[in-house]
Amino acid sequence: MDAIILAAGKGSRTELEYPKQFMSLGGKPLFIHSVEMLYGIEGINKIIIAVIPCMREIFQNILKQYNFENIICVDGGETRQQSVYNALKYCMEERVIIQAAARPFVTKEYLQELISMEGDAIVPYSEQIYSVIHKDGYYLNRNDLVSIHLPQIFNTTVLKKAHELAVGKNYIEDSELVFNELGIFPKLVKSIEGNFKITNPLDIKMAELIYENM
Ligand code: CTP
Ligand code: MG
């Protein structure tokens, strides 16, 4: 299987002076945590990182520093969807796993569990802990809802086809893209505790605390 790491975002909500994928967590750049978790996993043959085009060399130098080999850096796009689309062009295997550099706490054991599952779209979820309201004026039943996580696994042909149909749209998550474009509902698999995405300034502090206590 191929692996894509999304690391081409601006990280604007973290309010750092640089993209969050470069912030240090436990002494390592954030995106290196995702490389480490995917690297050497049986069944993953190639890792493709969608990078910020003008920072490609910085990514490559860091990867060299950590002695990672055979990692392909491809130019990400303006949107997350475009970053996935660009990286997908390098995917030739039957399945692809998509991870975000902003999620450092996925374990190798959990990756192996996901990889062992069958299905065209495999999506981790966590229980919806907050009540939710639709801005158009109605309530949604929390018990019917779950939150979607990464990493996600797709049949590569299915994901490529869905992305071709979705060109010009702006999906921020691939399982929704696959469902809307092809009607394929994912297999939902319970995520692991602590698999949160670093998005806001407070998340950085939480990530540091979790890392120190792991
Ligand atoms: N991402 C990407 N290409 C983009 C936008 C996002 O590869 N054009 C990646 C990010 O690097 C991140 C993941 O998708 O690993 C999830 O996106 P998000 O948390 O929204 O990160 P950013 O877009 O970087 O942050 P923000 O929205 O706050 O600017
Ligand atoms: Mg974003």
Side-chain angles (χ1 to χ4, degrees), residues 51-167:
V51 301
I52 300 167
C54 64
M55 298 180 98
R56 173 193 278 265
E57 248 183 69
I58 301 175
F59 279 94
Q60 279 167 335
N61 287 339
I62 295 171
L63 288 166
K64 217 179 280 165
Q65 215 176 300
Y66 283 87
N67 296 317
F68 289 118
E69 286 166 20
N70 296 326
I71 294 184
I72 301 167
C73 291
V74 308
D75 284 355
E78 273 301 310
T79 65
R80 183 194 184 282
Q81 184 182 322
Q82 285 167 352
S83 293
V84 175
Y85 185 77
N86 291 356
L88 265 179
K89 290 183 188 145
Y90 294 80
C91 296
M92 305 298 159
E93 304 260 342
E94 196 184 327
R95 299 207 299 166
V96 57
I97 183 161
I98 301 187
Q99 162 66 350
R103 289 185 181 269
F105 296 119
V106 178
T107 62
K108 280 189 185 283
E109 292 71 37
Y110 185 67
L111 279 175
Q112 272 150 348
E113 190 186 322
L114 281 184
I115 289 170
S116 72
M117 291 176 182
E118 284 176 22
D120 285 338
I122 299 164
V123 172
Y125 74 90
S126 66
E127 297 300 335
Q128 181 58 40
I129 54 170
Y130 302 110
S131 292
V132 285
I133 183 170
H134 199 290
K135 287 175 184 168
D136 284 351
Y138 55 94
Y139 282 83
L140 294 157
N141 187 341
R142 184 169 80 189
N143 296 329
D144 295 335
L145 305 169
V146 292
S147 295
I148 288 176
H149 289 203
L150 261 67
Q152 302 177 346
I153 297 178
F154 297 94
N155 173 292
T156 308
T157 310
V158 164
L159 190 60
K160 282 182 177 175
K161 195 171 163 197
H163 266 268
E164 286 301 338
L165 293 166
V167 168

